[in-house]
Amino acid sequence: MPDTMPNTVETDRDFQSLADPYRRELLAHCYRMLGSIHDAEDLVQETYLRAWRSYGGFEGRSSLRTWLYRIATNVCLTAIDQRGNRPMPSGLGAPSDEPERPVVASDEVPWLEPAPDAVLGADAADPATIVTARESTRLAFVAALQHLPAKQRVVLILRDVLKWRAAEVAELLDTSTAAVNSALQRARAQLDENAPLRDELVEPTDPGQRDLLERYAKAFETADIASLIELFKQDVVWEMPPFPQWFVGADHVVRLIKAQCGPAPGDIRMVPAAANGQPAFGLYMRDDEGVHRAYQIQVLSVTGDGVAHVSVFFDTSLFPVFGLAERL
């Protein structure tokens, strides 16, 4: 049981008014730590419950924000210890060179999940904050974080993403500044090893990207495979949790779509979305009754040369999180 419980309506209101402004950034923090928007939402709730129970004993020796981050971080570390890391298929092994071979799902692996921009979005009034939030929630970055030991992950997020001072991180983790600096150095080195080569991603507001995305959606909806080939970079990467198989190269990806999906014109509907600072689509597949139902969420990395990476998530429980209907 907690040491102190708030026992007045005034205390409760005081806590809510002071703590609520940090809810979104704490959600982003928990998401970077866990790689799951579902888990992040649960852990933020747990953070606020613990903080509310202990608020009567909060002595103000640190800021309320730092205090909330300490609680959230400890909750995340416990969750990582219990649930493990969340990889993407490309982080587990070599790509497949057999697109026609049936893919087999691996439900034992807790896979990385995308997160909607609407949930993790930064303050629209601060362009610098928007850029930082977008870069630090890219799928490739969050996936690379999953390769770090939990404590190194905390240090790298707090130091390099949130720009905390080493002394502040040391206080939060009850360790020394030297230990924080050492952990940061190791984390950066390991992140460089696991992070993919960075493409020059096109900004979401770029008119060329909007045109490419419209053509991409139309190609799927009309089953125009030839147009898809034109939109993919030659070394495009395609991965699709919960299937551990992943593919590299436009030819392999197109062969995969033909063999495993084989859509006819009109079978697919694409609804635009935004995830992890990247363009995304909710893909709906027509069933035997003629109804388009939630099927997968695609998150794209787009460069000036075309679509460089497509992450396909078959978890339809993500559709409500993205504000997408379960059927059209």
Side-chain angles (χ1 to χ4, degrees), residues 57-275:
F58 174 55
E59 299 175 350
R61 285 178 292 183
S62 63
S63 69
L64 180 66
R65 180 173 182 259
T66 300
W67 183 62
L68 289 172
Y69 266 95
R70 177 189 291 272
I71 297 172
T73 298
N74 287 329
V75 168
C76 287
L77 290 172
T78 300
I80 292 170
D81 191 44
Q82 294 172 345
R83 307 173 197 180
N85 299 327
R86 287 180 171 268
M88 286 291 282
S90 57
L92 296 180
S96 172
D97 58 0
E98 300 180 273
E100 288 78 19
R101 185 174 181 177
V103 293
V104 179
S106 177
D107 295 320
E108 293 80 17
V109 178
W111 298 103
L112 188 75
E113 295 175 355
D117 283 4
V119 173
L120 300 181
D123 181 5
D126 184 355
T129 302
I130 293 173
V131 172
T132 300
R134 185 182 301 143
E135 290 294 328
S136 63
T137 54
R138 298 272 191 207
L139 272 178
F141 178 75
V142 178
L145 288 175
Q146 298 297 301
H147 292 274
L148 298 177
K151 287 289 182 68
Q152 289 184 24
R153 198 180 310 174
V154 175
V155 170
L156 187 131
I157 292 171
L158 294 179
R159 291 283 284 119
D160 283 0
V161 176
L162 299 178
K163 305 303 181 184
W164 285 31
R165 299 192 308 273
E168 293 175 307
V169 180
E171 181 182 357
L172 184 144
L173 293 176
D174 292 322
T175 188
S176 67
T177 300
V180 166
N181 290 333
S182 177
L184 179 62
Q185 186 176 14
R186 295 195 304 273
R188 285 172 174 169
Q190 190 165 343
L191 196 70
D192 288 341
E193 291 180 8
N194 289 291
L197 294 175
R198 292 187 60 184
D199 288 297
E200 289 299 322
L201 299 182
V202 177
E203 288 298 311
T205 55
D206 185 270
Q209 174 175 283
R210 291 199 298 269
D211 176 66
L212 184 147
L213 294 174
E214 289 174 3
R215 292 162 56 202
Y216 181 86
K218 183 179 179 181
F220 268 96
E221 293 178 343
T222 60
D224 186 350
I225 302 300
S227 292
L228 272 181
I229 293 177
E230 293 178 0
L231 297 173
F232 286 139
K233 290 187 63 176
Q234 283 304 305
D235 59 350
V236 63
V237 174
W238 182 283
E239 52 187 333
M240 44 188 186
F243 302 98
Q245 299 86 0
W246 60 288
F247 302 85
V248 176
D251 177 64
H252 279 74
V253 173
V254 168
R255 285 166 54 195
L256 173 76
I257 294 171
K258 284 182 178 180
Q260 310 285 353
C261 184
D267 280 352
I268 289 174
R269 294 273 300 278
M270 302 282 276
V271 176

